[in-house]
Amino acid sequence: MDETWELFGQYMSGAHAGLCCVISSESLSEAAEKALDSSLAALGYGHDACTFVAPGDLDQQALFVLIEGLDPICIVAADGKSAALLGQAYRLAVPPGKATRLLGRTTVSFLDFESLLKTPQDKQIAWALLKKLPRFGDKRSWK
């Protein structure tokens, strides 16, 4: 994991050993990062469970190496562009608004997570998708 931070640290922020890797085409706002951190805490991952990645000019192969080097339990694609890049990296469809599995990891993908923080109704839509991630410590949700 230290090698991953040495190689790709300029693209990452947040937890050094995050249980959840959050990919976004651009750096997320502080409010969005806090919302994701709170959501993951509510799912049992604890606070500061997210490593945030804004891949910038990384290609799909480099993104794959970055994510596999971090070895997170789950992945969140915060927008459509990052979901597409993630899909290319893993050679699987990562449809926005849905949950999928990438090499055994539950992955949820948003069209635009930031925009869902504007109204209470949209926040509930975001929370409903985030609840598709497995609850940490609950073996029944890892199926």
Side-chain angles (χ1 to χ4, degrees), residues 98-137:
K98 300 203 182 248
T100 191
R101 305 270 298 164
L102 297 176
L103 292 183
R105 295 180 187 98
T106 302
T107 302
V108 295
S109 174
F110 293 90
L111 272 176
D112 186 355
F113 179 78
E114 294 254 11
S115 71
L116 293 174
L117 300 178
K118 295 179 181 173
T119 69
Q121 181 179 352
D122 286 342
K123 286 179 184 178
Q124 288 302 314
I125 291 169
W127 175 235
L129 185 54
L130 288 169
K131 286 193 301 187
K132 294 184 185 232
L133 295 172
R135 290 190 177 273
F136 195 69

PDB file of all heavy atoms in Angstrom, residues 98-137:
ATOM      1  N   LYS A  98     -26.393   2.102 -10.009  1.00  0.00           N
ATOM      2  CA  LYS A  98     -26.541   0.687  -9.669  1.00  0.00           C
ATOM      3  C   LYS A  98     -25.348   0.203  -8.864  1.00  0.00           C
ATOM      4  O   LYS A  98     -24.317   0.843  -8.805  1.00  0.00           O
ATOM      5  CB  LYS A  98     -26.655  -0.147 -10.929  1.00  0.00           C
ATOM      6  CG  LYS A  98     -27.840   0.240 -11.790  1.00  0.00           C
ATOM      7  CD  LYS A  98     -28.237  -0.884 -12.682  1.00  0.00           C
ATOM      8  CE  LYS A  98     -29.380  -0.439 -13.544  1.00  0.00           C
ATOM      9  NZ  LYS A  98     -30.593  -1.054 -13.290  1.00  0.00           N
ATOM     10  N   ALA A  99     -25.522  -0.976  -8.281  1.00  0.00           N
ATOM     11  CA  ALA A  99     -24.428  -1.661  -7.599  1.00  0.00           C
ATOM     12  C   ALA A  99     -23.967  -2.805  -8.495  1.00  0.00           C
ATOM     13  O   ALA A  99     -24.767  -3.403  -9.211  1.00  0.00           O
ATOM     14  CB  ALA A  99     -24.893  -2.197  -6.254  1.00  0.00           C
ATOM     15  N   THR A 100     -22.678  -3.076  -8.478  1.00  0.00           N
ATOM     16  CA  THR A 100     -22.108  -4.177  -9.251  1.00  0.00           C
ATOM     17  C   THR A 100     -20.931  -4.739  -8.464  1.00  0.00           C
ATOM     18  O   THR A 100     -20.615  -4.254  -7.387  1.00  0.00           O
ATOM     19  CB  THR A 100     -21.683  -3.685 -10.661  1.00  0.00           C
ATOM     20  OG1 THR A 100     -21.379  -4.794 -11.476  1.00  0.00           O
ATOM     21  CG2 THR A 100     -20.517  -2.738 -10.609  1.00  0.00           C
ATOM     22  N   ARG A 101     -20.297  -5.766  -8.998  1.00  0.00           N
ATOM     23  CA  ARG A 101     -19.126  -6.371  -8.342  1.00  0.00           C
ATOM     24  C   ARG A 101     -17.927  -6.260  -9.274  1.00  0.00           C
ATOM     25  O   ARG A 101     -18.035  -6.558 -10.461  1.00  0.00           O
ATOM     26  CB  ARG A 101     -19.385  -7.843  -8.028  1.00  0.00           C
ATOM     27  CG  ARG A 101     -20.622  -8.115  -7.215  1.00  0.00           C
ATOM     28  CD  ARG A 101     -20.476  -8.114  -5.748  1.00  0.00           C
ATOM     29  NE  ARG A 101     -19.575  -9.146  -5.257  1.00  0.00           N
ATOM     30  CZ  ARG A 101     -19.083  -9.116  -4.036  1.00  0.00           C
ATOM     31  NH1 ARG A 101     -19.398  -8.153  -3.219  1.00  0.00           N
ATOM     32  NH2 ARG A 101     -18.277 -10.066  -3.633  1.00  0.00           N
ATOM     33  N   LEU A 102     -16.797  -5.830  -8.727  1.00  0.00           N
ATOM     34  CA  LEU A 102     -15.542  -5.759  -9.463  1.00  0.00           C
ATOM     35  C   LEU A 102     -14.499  -6.566  -8.702  1.00  0.00           C
ATOM     36  O   LEU A 102     -14.094  -6.175  -7.605  1.00  0.00           O
ATOM     37  CB  LEU A 102     -15.062  -4.312  -9.612  1.00  0.00           C
ATOM     38  CG  LEU A 102     -15.950  -3.360 -10.398  1.00  0.00           C
ATOM     39  CD1 LEU A 102     -15.373  -1.953 -10.373  1.00  0.00           C
ATOM     40  CD2 LEU A 102     -16.125  -3.843 -11.827  1.00  0.00           C
ATOM     41  N   LEU A 103     -14.110  -7.687  -9.249  1.00  0.00           N
ATOM     42  CA  LEU A 103     -13.146  -8.589  -8.610  1.00  0.00           C
ATOM     43  C   LEU A 103     -13.508  -8.845  -7.146  1.00  0.00           C
ATOM     44  O   LEU A 103     -12.676  -8.748  -6.253  1.00  0.00           O
ATOM     45  CB  LEU A 103     -11.725  -8.038  -8.718  1.00  0.00           C
ATOM     46  CG  LEU A 103     -11.120  -8.006 -10.118  1.00  0.00           C
ATOM     47  CD1 LEU A 103      -9.683  -7.518 -10.074  1.00  0.00           C
ATOM     48  CD2 LEU A 103     -11.190  -9.352 -10.810  1.00  0.00           C
ATOM     49  N   GLY A 104     -14.774  -9.143  -6.919  1.00  0.00           N
ATOM     50  CA  GLY A 104     -15.240  -9.490  -5.590  1.00  0.00           C
ATOM     51  C   GLY A 104     -15.602  -8.315  -4.699  1.00  0.00           C
ATOM     52  O   GLY A 104     -16.054  -8.502  -3.576  1.00  0.00           O
ATOM     53  N   ARG A 105     -15.417  -7.094  -5.178  1.00  0.00           N
ATOM     54  CA  ARG A 105     -15.742  -5.905  -4.385  1.00  0.00           C
ATOM     55  C   ARG A 105     -17.081  -5.334  -4.823  1.00  0.00           C
ATOM     56  O   ARG A 105     -17.313  -5.140  -6.018  1.00  0.00           O
ATOM     57  CB  ARG A 105     -14.699  -4.817  -4.587  1.00  0.00           C
ATOM     58  CG  ARG A 105     -13.339  -5.159  -4.087  1.00  0.00           C
ATOM     59  CD  ARG A 105     -12.405  -3.987  -4.365  1.00  0.00           C
ATOM     60  NE  ARG A 105     -11.058  -4.368  -4.050  1.00  0.00           N
ATOM     61  CZ  ARG A 105     -10.168  -4.788  -4.947  1.00  0.00           C
ATOM     62  NH1 ARG A 105     -10.493  -4.862  -6.226  1.00  0.00           N
ATOM     63  NH2 ARG A 105      -8.961  -5.123  -4.569  1.00  0.00           N
ATOM     64  N   THR A 106     -17.935  -5.026  -3.864  1.00  0.00           N
ATOM     65  CA  THR A 106     -19.167  -4.325  -4.206  1.00  0.00           C
ATOM     66  C   THR A 106     -18.797  -2.909  -4.616  1.00  0.00           C
ATOM     67  O   THR A 106     -17.989  -2.243  -3.968  1.00  0.00           O
ATOM     68  CB  THR A 106     -20.141  -4.296  -3.013  1.00  0.00           C
ATOM     69  OG1 THR A 106     -20.414  -5.645  -2.615  1.00  0.00           O
ATOM     70  CG2 THR A 106     -21.442  -3.591  -3.380  1.00  0.00           C
ATOM     71  N   THR A 107     -19.385  -2.476  -5.713  1.00  0.00           N
ATOM     72  CA  THR A 107     -19.120  -1.151  -6.261  1.00  0.00           C
ATOM     73  C   THR A 107     -20.455  -0.476  -6.543  1.00  0.00           C
ATOM     74  O   THR A 107     -21.344  -1.091  -7.117  1.00  0.00           O
ATOM     75  CB  THR A 107     -18.314  -1.275  -7.573  1.00  0.00           C
ATOM     76  OG1 THR A 107     -17.102  -1.974  -7.295  1.00  0.00           O
ATOM     77  CG2 THR A 107     -18.010   0.069  -8.177  1.00  0.00           C
ATOM     78  N   VAL A 108     -20.586   0.774  -6.101  1.00  0.00           N
ATOM     79  CA  VAL A 108     -21.765   1.559  -6.452  1.00  0.00           C
ATOM     80  C   VAL A 108     -21.305   2.752  -7.280  1.00  0.00           C
ATOM     81  O   VAL A 108     -20.205   3.265  -7.095  1.00  0.00           O
ATOM     82  CB  VAL A 108     -22.589   2.017  -5.222  1.00  0.00           C
ATOM     83  CG1 VAL A 108     -23.173   0.821  -4.495  1.00  0.00           C
ATOM     84  CG2 VAL A 108     -21.785   2.877  -4.290  1.00  0.00           C
ATOM     85  N   SER A 109     -22.183   3.163  -8.181  1.00  0.00           N
ATOM     86  CA  SER A 109     -21.818   4.190  -9.135  1.00  0.00           C
ATOM     87  C   SER A 109     -22.929   5.231  -9.263  1.00  0.00           C
ATOM     88  O   SER A 109     -24.092   4.883  -9.412  1.00  0.00           O
ATOM     89  CB  SER A 109     -21.560   3.517 -10.482  1.00  0.00           C
ATOM     90  OG  SER A 109     -21.348   4.462 -11.465  1.00  0.00           O
ATOM     91  N   PHE A 110     -22.532   6.480  -9.213  1.00  0.00           N
ATOM     92  CA  PHE A 110     -23.462   7.606  -9.334  1.00  0.00           C
ATOM     93  C   PHE A 110     -23.223   8.335 -10.657  1.00  0.00           C
ATOM     94  O   PHE A 110     -22.103   8.359 -11.161  1.00  0.00           O
ATOM     95  CB  PHE A 110     -23.231   8.607  -8.199  1.00  0.00           C
ATOM     96  CG  PHE A 110     -23.573   8.085  -6.839  1.00  0.00           C
ATOM     97  CD1 PHE A 110     -22.619   7.443  -6.060  1.00  0.00           C
ATOM     98  CD2 PHE A 110     -24.854   8.226  -6.328  1.00  0.00           C
ATOM     99  CE1 PHE A 110     -22.930   6.953  -4.802  1.00  0.00           C
ATOM    100  CE2 PHE A 110     -25.179   7.738  -5.075  1.00  0.00           C
ATOM    101  CZ  PHE A 110     -24.214   7.100  -4.311  1.00  0.00           C
ATOM    102  N   LEU A 111     -24.265   8.961 -11.172  1.00  0.00           N
ATOM    103  CA  LEU A 111     -24.081   9.875 -12.301  1.00  0.00           C
ATOM    104  C   LEU A 111     -23.417  11.152 -11.821  1.00  0.00           C
ATOM    105  O   LEU A 111     -22.548  11.710 -12.480  1.00  0.00           O
ATOM    106  CB  LEU A 111     -25.419  10.207 -12.965  1.00  0.00           C
ATOM    107  CG  LEU A 111     -25.875   9.269 -14.058  1.00  0.00           C
ATOM    108  CD1 LEU A 111     -27.249   9.650 -14.569  1.00  0.00           C
ATOM    109  CD2 LEU A 111     -24.868   9.227 -15.195  1.00  0.00           C
ATOM    110  N   ASP A 112     -23.840  11.652 -10.632  1.00  0.00           N
ATOM    111  CA  ASP A 112     -23.274  12.875 -10.073  1.00  0.00           C
ATOM    112  C   ASP A 112     -23.615  12.939  -8.587  1.00  0.00           C
ATOM    113  O   ASP A 112     -24.652  13.482  -8.203  1.00  0.00           O
ATOM    114  CB  ASP A 112     -23.827  14.093 -10.810  1.00  0.00           C
ATOM    115  CG  ASP A 112     -23.179  15.397 -10.373  1.00  0.00           C
ATOM    116  OD1 ASP A 112     -22.359  15.393  -9.428  1.00  0.00           O
ATOM    117  OD2 ASP A 112     -23.493  16.432 -10.988  1.00  0.00           O
ATOM    118  N   PHE A 113     -22.759  12.365  -7.757  1.00  0.00           N
ATOM    119  CA  PHE A 113     -23.006  12.317  -6.318  1.00  0.00           C
ATOM    120  C   PHE A 113     -23.177  13.720  -5.742  1.00  0.00           C
ATOM    121  O   PHE A 113     -24.073  13.962  -4.942  1.00  0.00           O
ATOM    122  CB  PHE A 113     -21.868  11.586  -5.591  1.00  0.00           C
ATOM    123  CG  PHE A 113     -22.067  11.520  -4.107  1.00  0.00           C
ATOM    124  CD1 PHE A 113     -22.952  10.603  -3.563  1.00  0.00           C
ATOM    125  CD2 PHE A 113     -21.396  12.374  -3.258  1.00  0.00           C
ATOM    126  CE1 PHE A 113     -23.167  10.541  -2.194  1.00  0.00           C
ATOM    127  CE2 PHE A 113     -21.584  12.329  -1.886  1.00  0.00           C
ATOM    128  CZ  PHE A 113     -22.475  11.408  -1.356  1.00  0.00           C
ATOM    129  N   GLU A 114     -22.336  14.643  -6.151  1.00  0.00           N
ATOM    130  CA  GLU A 114     -22.391  16.017  -5.610  1.00  0.00           C
ATOM    131  C   GLU A 114     -23.776  16.632  -5.786  1.00  0.00           C
ATOM    132  O   GLU A 114     -24.285  17.285  -4.882  1.00  0.00           O
ATOM    133  CB  GLU A 114     -21.357  16.906  -6.302  1.00  0.00           C
ATOM    134  CG  GLU A 114     -19.945  16.511  -6.018  1.00  0.00           C
ATOM    135  CD  GLU A 114     -19.212  17.428  -5.067  1.00  0.00           C
ATOM    136  OE1 GLU A 114     -19.837  18.294  -4.434  1.00  0.00           O
ATOM    137  OE2 GLU A 114     -18.001  17.248  -4.950  1.00  0.00           O
ATOM    138  N   SER A 115     -24.403  16.420  -6.939  1.00  0.00           N
ATOM    139  CA  SER A 115     -25.706  17.038  -7.189  1.00  0.00           C
ATOM    140  C   SER A 115     -26.801  16.446  -6.309  1.00  0.00           C
ATOM    141  O   SER A 115     -27.829  17.088  -6.078  1.00  0.00           O
ATOM    142  CB  SER A 115     -26.095  16.915  -8.667  1.00  0.00           C
ATOM    143  OG  SER A 115     -26.422  15.576  -8.982  1.00  0.00           O
ATOM    144  N   LEU A 116     -26.579  15.216  -5.800  1.00  0.00           N
ATOM    145  CA  LEU A 116     -27.583  14.572  -4.948  1.00  0.00           C
ATOM    146  C   LEU A 116     -27.563  15.095  -3.514  1.00  0.00           C
ATOM    147  O   LEU A 116     -28.381  14.686  -2.701  1.00  0.00           O
ATOM    148  CB  LEU A 116     -27.387  13.055  -4.947  1.00  0.00           C
ATOM    149  CG  LEU A 116     -27.659  12.366  -6.281  1.00  0.00           C
ATOM    150  CD1 LEU A 116     -27.287  10.889  -6.192  1.00  0.00           C
ATOM    151  CD2 LEU A 116     -29.109  12.527  -6.697  1.00  0.00           C
ATOM    152  N   LEU A 117     -26.672  16.003  -3.211  1.00  0.00           N
ATOM    153  CA  LEU A 117     -26.594  16.549  -1.852  1.00  0.00           C
ATOM    154  C   LEU A 117     -27.417  17.829  -1.689  1.00  0.00           C
ATOM    155  O   LEU A 117     -27.440  18.411  -0.619  1.00  0.00           O
ATOM    156  CB  LEU A 117     -25.128  16.835  -1.489  1.00  0.00           C
ATOM    157  CG  LEU A 117     -24.207  15.622  -1.512  1.00  0.00           C
ATOM    158  CD1 LEU A 117     -22.786  16.050  -1.187  1.00  0.00           C
ATOM    159  CD2 LEU A 117     -24.684  14.554  -0.559  1.00  0.00           C
ATOM    160  N   LYS A 118     -28.120  18.219  -2.738  1.00  0.00           N
ATOM    161  CA  LYS A 118     -28.811  19.511  -2.731  1.00  0.00           C
ATOM    162  C   LYS A 118     -30.174  19.496  -2.063  1.00  0.00           C
ATOM    163  O   LYS A 118     -30.589  20.497  -1.493  1.00  0.00           O
ATOM    164  CB  LYS A 118     -28.919  20.058  -4.151  1.00  0.00           C
ATOM    165  CG  LYS A 118     -27.556  20.374  -4.730  1.00  0.00           C
ATOM    166  CD  LYS A 118     -27.641  20.883  -6.138  1.00  0.00           C
ATOM    167  CE  LYS A 118     -26.228  21.157  -6.636  1.00  0.00           C
ATOM    168  NZ  LYS A 118     -26.195  21.502  -8.021  1.00  0.00           N
ATOM    169  N   THR A 119     -30.900  18.390  -2.145  1.00  0.00           N
ATOM    170  CA  THR A 119     -32.236  18.342  -1.542  1.00  0.00           C
ATOM    171  C   THR A 119     -32.349  17.097  -0.658  1.00  0.00           C
ATOM    172  O   THR A 119     -31.669  16.093  -0.898  1.00  0.00           O
ATOM    173  CB  THR A 119     -33.350  18.278  -2.613  1.00  0.00           C
ATOM    174  OG1 THR A 119     -33.287  17.012  -3.269  1.00  0.00           O
ATOM    175  CG2 THR A 119     -33.232  19.413  -3.625  1.00  0.00           C
ATOM    176  N   PRO A 120     -33.222  17.136   0.341  1.00  0.00           N
ATOM    177  CA  PRO A 120     -33.409  15.950   1.193  1.00  0.00           C
ATOM    178  C   PRO A 120     -33.825  14.714   0.395  1.00  0.00           C
ATOM    179  O   PRO A 120     -33.362  13.614   0.680  1.00  0.00           O
ATOM    180  CB  PRO A 120     -34.509  16.384   2.166  1.00  0.00           C
ATOM    181  CG  PRO A 120     -34.384  17.860   2.235  1.00  0.00           C
ATOM    182  CD  PRO A 120     -33.971  18.286   0.844  1.00  0.00           C
ATOM    183  N   GLN A 121     -34.671  14.887  -0.605  1.00  0.00           N
ATOM    184  CA  GLN A 121     -35.114  13.756  -1.421  1.00  0.00           C
ATOM    185  C   GLN A 121     -33.939  13.145  -2.190  1.00  0.00           C
ATOM    186  O   GLN A 121     -33.776  11.928  -2.232  1.00  0.00           O
ATOM    187  CB  GLN A 121     -36.208  14.184  -2.393  1.00  0.00           C
ATOM    188  CG  GLN A 121     -36.725  13.036  -3.242  1.00  0.00           C
ATOM    189  CD  GLN A 121     -37.824  13.474  -4.194  1.00  0.00           C
ATOM    190  OE1 GLN A 121     -38.304  14.592  -4.136  1.00  0.00           O
ATOM    191  NE2 GLN A 121     -38.216  12.587  -5.075  1.00  0.00           N
ATOM    192  N   ASP A 122     -33.093  13.997  -2.773  1.00  0.00           N
ATOM    193  CA  ASP A 122     -31.934  13.494  -3.506  1.00  0.00           C
ATOM    194  C   ASP A 122     -30.924  12.829  -2.568  1.00  0.00           C
ATOM    195  O   ASP A 122     -30.277  11.854  -2.932  1.00  0.00           O
ATOM    196  CB  ASP A 122     -31.268  14.615  -4.302  1.00  0.00           C
ATOM    197  CG  ASP A 122     -32.071  15.007  -5.528  1.00  0.00           C
ATOM    198  OD1 ASP A 122     -32.947  14.226  -5.959  1.00  0.00           O
ATOM    199  OD2 ASP A 122     -31.824  16.110  -6.067  1.00  0.00           O
ATOM    200  N   LYS A 123     -30.800  13.343  -1.349  1.00  0.00           N
ATOM    201  CA  LYS A 123     -29.919  12.711  -0.365  1.00  0.00           C
ATOM    202  C   LYS A 123     -30.398  11.294  -0.054  1.00  0.00           C
ATOM    203  O   LYS A 123     -29.588  10.378   0.122  1.00  0.00           O
ATOM    204  CB  LYS A 123     -29.856  13.534   0.922  1.00  0.00           C
ATOM    205  CG  LYS A 123     -29.043  14.800   0.788  1.00  0.00           C
ATOM    206  CD  LYS A 123     -29.047  15.568   2.093  1.00  0.00           C
ATOM    207  CE  LYS A 123     -28.326  16.889   1.948  1.00  0.00           C
ATOM    208  NZ  LYS A 123     -28.362  17.671   3.196  1.00  0.00           N
ATOM    209  N   GLN A 124     -31.712  11.108  -0.014  1.00  0.00           N
ATOM    210  CA  GLN A 124     -32.267   9.774   0.240  1.00  0.00           C
ATOM    211  C   GLN A 124     -31.972   8.826  -0.926  1.00  0.00           C
ATOM    212  O   GLN A 124     -31.729   7.636  -0.723  1.00  0.00           O
ATOM    213  CB  GLN A 124     -33.779   9.856   0.505  1.00  0.00           C
ATOM    214  CG  GLN A 124     -34.119  10.460   1.846  1.00  0.00           C
ATOM    215  CD  GLN A 124     -33.507   9.689   3.002  1.00  0.00           C
ATOM    216  OE1 GLN A 124     -33.559   8.468   3.054  1.00  0.00           O
ATOM    217  NE2 GLN A 124     -32.891  10.411   3.923  1.00  0.00           N
ATOM    218  N   ILE A 125     -31.977   9.360  -2.143  1.00  0.00           N
ATOM    219  CA  ILE A 125     -31.640   8.558  -3.315  1.00  0.00           C
ATOM    220  C   ILE A 125     -30.178   8.097  -3.215  1.00  0.00           C
ATOM    221  O   ILE A 125     -29.858   6.928  -3.451  1.00  0.00           O
ATOM    222  CB  ILE A 125     -31.895   9.352  -4.618  1.00  0.00           C
ATOM    223  CG1 ILE A 125     -33.399   9.561  -4.811  1.00  0.00           C
ATOM    224  CG2 ILE A 125     -31.273   8.655  -5.826  1.00  0.00           C
ATOM    225  CD1 ILE A 125     -33.759  10.552  -5.898  1.00  0.00           C
ATOM    226  N   ALA A 126     -29.292   9.024  -2.840  1.00  0.00           N
ATOM    227  CA  ALA A 126     -27.875   8.676  -2.676  1.00  0.00           C
ATOM    228  C   ALA A 126     -27.699   7.639  -1.574  1.00  0.00           C
ATOM    229  O   ALA A 126     -26.972   6.652  -1.739  1.00  0.00           O
ATOM    230  CB  ALA A 126     -27.058   9.928  -2.371  1.00  0.00           C
ATOM    231  N   TRP A 127     -28.376   7.838  -0.444  1.00  0.00           N
ATOM    232  CA  TRP A 127     -28.260   6.914   0.678  1.00  0.00           C
ATOM    233  C   TRP A 127     -28.766   5.523   0.289  1.00  0.00           C
ATOM    234  O   TRP A 127     -28.164   4.510   0.655  1.00  0.00           O
ATOM    235  CB  TRP A 127     -28.991   7.472   1.883  1.00  0.00           C
ATOM    236  CG  TRP A 127     -29.037   6.565   3.077  1.00  0.00           C
ATOM    237  CD1 TRP A 127     -30.146   6.146   3.737  1.00  0.00           C
ATOM    238  CD2 TRP A 127     -27.935   5.951   3.767  1.00  0.00           C
ATOM    239  NE1 TRP A 127     -29.810   5.319   4.783  1.00  0.00           N
ATOM    240  CE2 TRP A 127     -28.456   5.185   4.832  1.00  0.00           C
ATOM    241  CE3 TRP A 127     -26.561   5.974   3.583  1.00  0.00           C
ATOM    242  CZ2 TRP A 127     -27.649   4.449   5.700  1.00  0.00           C
ATOM    243  CZ3 TRP A 127     -25.757   5.248   4.458  1.00  0.00           C
ATOM    244  CH2 TRP A 127     -26.305   4.494   5.494  1.00  0.00           C
ATOM    245  N   ALA A 128     -29.846   5.471  -0.469  1.00  0.00           N
ATOM    246  CA  ALA A 128     -30.392   4.176  -0.901  1.00  0.00           C
ATOM    247  C   ALA A 128     -29.358   3.394  -1.716  1.00  0.00           C
ATOM    248  O   ALA A 128     -29.228   2.180  -1.562  1.00  0.00           O
ATOM    249  CB  ALA A 128     -31.668   4.378  -1.707  1.00  0.00           C
ATOM    250  N   LEU A 129     -28.607   4.084  -2.568  1.00  0.00           N
ATOM    251  CA  LEU A 129     -27.579   3.402  -3.349  1.00  0.00           C
ATOM    252  C   LEU A 129     -26.393   3.017  -2.468  1.00  0.00           C
ATOM    253  O   LEU A 129     -25.872   1.903  -2.563  1.00  0.00           O
ATOM    254  CB  LEU A 129     -27.125   4.275  -4.526  1.00  0.00           C
ATOM    255  CG  LEU A 129     -26.133   3.641  -5.496  1.00  0.00           C
ATOM    256  CD1 LEU A 129     -26.639   2.308  -6.041  1.00  0.00           C
ATOM    257  CD2 LEU A 129     -25.818   4.599  -6.627  1.00  0.00           C
ATOM    258  N   LEU A 130     -25.974   3.895  -1.586  1.00  0.00           N
ATOM    259  CA  LEU A 130     -24.849   3.575  -0.701  1.00  0.00           C
ATOM    260  C   LEU A 130     -25.165   2.397   0.212  1.00  0.00           C
ATOM    261  O   LEU A 130     -24.265   1.625   0.567  1.00  0.00           O
ATOM    262  CB  LEU A 130     -24.452   4.804   0.122  1.00  0.00           C
ATOM    263  CG  LEU A 130     -23.750   5.899  -0.680  1.00  0.00           C
ATOM    264  CD1 LEU A 130     -23.650   7.177   0.144  1.00  0.00           C
ATOM    265  CD2 LEU A 130     -22.375   5.441  -1.147  1.00  0.00           C
ATOM    266  N   LYS A 131     -26.444   2.220   0.563  1.00  0.00           N
ATOM    267  CA  LYS A 131     -26.825   1.087   1.415  1.00  0.00           C
ATOM    268  C   LYS A 131     -26.671  -0.257   0.699  1.00  0.00           C
ATOM    269  O   LYS A 131     -26.782  -1.293   1.339  1.00  0.00           O
ATOM    270  CB  LYS A 131     -28.259   1.247   1.933  1.00  0.00           C
ATOM    271  CG  LYS A 131     -28.379   2.306   3.013  1.00  0.00           C
ATOM    272  CD  LYS A 131     -29.689   2.262   3.754  1.00  0.00           C
ATOM    273  CE  LYS A 131     -30.878   2.451   2.868  1.00  0.00           C
ATOM    274  NZ  LYS A 131     -32.141   2.582   3.590  1.00  0.00           N
ATOM    275  N   LYS A 132     -26.377  -0.232  -0.594  1.00  0.00           N
ATOM    276  CA  LYS A 132     -26.119  -1.486  -1.312  1.00  0.00           C
ATOM    277  C   LYS A 132     -24.701  -1.990  -1.052  1.00  0.00           C
ATOM    278  O   LYS A 132     -24.374  -3.122  -1.387  1.00  0.00           O
ATOM    279  CB  LYS A 132     -26.383  -1.302  -2.805  1.00  0.00           C
ATOM    280  CG  LYS A 132     -27.857  -1.051  -3.071  1.00  0.00           C
ATOM    281  CD  LYS A 132     -28.165  -0.973  -4.529  1.00  0.00           C
ATOM    282  CE  LYS A 132     -29.629  -0.603  -4.672  1.00  0.00           C
ATOM    283  NZ  LYS A 132     -30.367  -1.452  -5.512  1.00  0.00           N
ATOM    284  N   LEU A 133     -23.871  -1.130  -0.446  1.00  0.00           N
ATOM    285  CA  LEU A 133     -22.551  -1.593  -0.025  1.00  0.00           C
ATOM    286  C   LEU A 133     -22.745  -2.523   1.164  1.00  0.00           C
ATOM    287  O   LEU A 133     -23.676  -2.347   1.953  1.00  0.00           O
ATOM    288  CB  LEU A 133     -21.672  -0.402   0.380  1.00  0.00           C
ATOM    289  CG  LEU A 133     -21.301   0.575  -0.724  1.00  0.00           C
ATOM    290  CD1 LEU A 133     -20.610   1.802  -0.143  1.00  0.00           C
ATOM    291  CD2 LEU A 133     -20.405  -0.102  -1.762  1.00  0.00           C
ATOM    292  N   PRO A 134     -21.873  -3.503   1.327  1.00  0.00           N
ATOM    293  CA  PRO A 134     -22.036  -4.411   2.470  1.00  0.00           C
ATOM    294  C   PRO A 134     -21.818  -3.679   3.781  1.00  0.00           C
ATOM    295  O   PRO A 134     -20.982  -2.775   3.871  1.00  0.00           O
ATOM    296  CB  PRO A 134     -20.948  -5.462   2.241  1.00  0.00           C
ATOM    297  CG  PRO A 134     -19.968  -4.833   1.325  1.00  0.00           C
ATOM    298  CD  PRO A 134     -20.720  -3.829   0.504  1.00  0.00           C
ATOM    299  N   ARG A 135     -22.587  -4.051   4.784  1.00  0.00           N
ATOM    300  CA  ARG A 135     -22.369  -3.510   6.130  1.00  0.00           C
ATOM    301  C   ARG A 135     -21.118  -4.176   6.687  1.00  0.00           C
ATOM    302  O   ARG A 135     -21.000  -5.389   6.662  1.00  0.00           O
ATOM    303  CB  ARG A 135     -23.565  -3.772   7.029  1.00  0.00           C
ATOM    304  CG  ARG A 135     -24.760  -2.952   6.630  1.00  0.00           C
ATOM    305  CD  ARG A 135     -25.853  -3.056   7.695  1.00  0.00           C
ATOM    306  NE  ARG A 135     -26.961  -2.204   7.335  1.00  0.00           N
ATOM    307  CZ  ARG A 135     -27.047  -0.913   7.646  1.00  0.00           C
ATOM    308  NH1 ARG A 135     -26.113  -0.342   8.342  1.00  0.00           N
ATOM    309  NH2 ARG A 135     -28.087  -0.200   7.268  1.00  0.00           N
ATOM    310  N   PHE A 136     -20.207  -3.372   7.152  1.00  0.00           N
ATOM    311  CA  PHE A 136     -18.954  -3.895   7.678  1.00  0.00           C
ATOM    312  C   PHE A 136     -19.227  -4.659   8.967  1.00  0.00           C
ATOM    313  O   PHE A 136     -19.905  -4.179   9.860  1.00  0.00           O
ATOM    314  CB  PHE A 136     -17.961  -2.756   7.942  1.00  0.00           C
ATOM    315  CG  PHE A 136     -16.562  -3.238   8.136  1.00  0.00           C
ATOM    316  CD1 PHE A 136     -15.850  -3.763   7.078  1.00  0.00           C
ATOM    317  CD2 PHE A 136     -15.958  -3.164   9.373  1.00  0.00           C
ATOM    318  CE1 PHE A 136     -14.554  -4.208   7.247  1.00  0.00           C
ATOM    319  CE2 PHE A 136     -14.663  -3.605   9.558  1.00  0.00           C
ATOM    320  CZ  PHE A 136     -13.958  -4.128   8.493  1.00  0.00           C
ATOM    321  N   GLY A 137     -18.734  -5.882   9.039  1.00  0.00           N
ATOM    322  CA  GLY A 137     -18.939  -6.716  10.217  1.00  0.00           C
ATOM    323  C   GLY A 137     -20.170  -7.599  10.131  1.00  0.00           C
ATOM    324  O   GLY A 137     -20.372  -8.451  10.973  1.00  0.00           O
TER     325      GLY A 137
END
